[in-house]
Amino acid sequence: DVTDEYDDVILVALGYNIKQLRIERNLTQEELAKLIGMDQADLSKLEKGLTNPSVKTLNRIAEGLNSKISISIQ
């Protein structure tokens, strides 16, 4: 299904962006996970695009990375 493939691409891109920001902030997965109250294994899955995070989780990650989330529906 094309929709499923599109969802996968979005999740992989999201995870990549989170990982890049984390690396730029010189944080390990373990450090960021602890900072935001998340399990490191769950953060790893998110960075690999294997899980679909809630907006609440994205907000916690953004705060932990001193960043902002931007969600747009066009």
Side-chain angles (χ1 to χ4, degrees):
D1 185 315
V2 174
T3 303
D4 290 340
E5 291 175 16
Y6 181 73
D7 289 345
D8 292 345
V9 169
I10 291 172
L11 293 177
V12 169
L14 175 64
Y16 177 82
N17 287 340
I18 291 169
K19 181 177 181 177
Q20 289 306 113
L21 284 170
R22 177 180 59 75
I23 290 169
E24 287 174 15
R25 306 298 193 270
N26 294 312
L27 292 169
T28 65
Q29 281 184 348
E30 188 173 331
E31 290 168 333
L32 178 58
K34 185 176 181 180
L35 183 67
I36 64 173
M38 180 179 209
D39 187 72
Q40 182 271 328
D42 291 334
L43 180 58
S44 176
K45 289 176 188 173
L46 197 152
E47 286 187 357
K48 293 176 183 175
L50 301 176
T51 186
N52 190 353
S54 67
V55 173
K56 184 176 179 178
T57 297
L58 289 175
N59 191 52
R60 286 181 16 222
I61 292 169
E63 287 177 359
L65 293 170
N66 294 317
S67 198
K68 295 179 183 179
I69 60 170
S70 175
I71 299 172
S72 169
I73 299 175
Q74 300 177 2

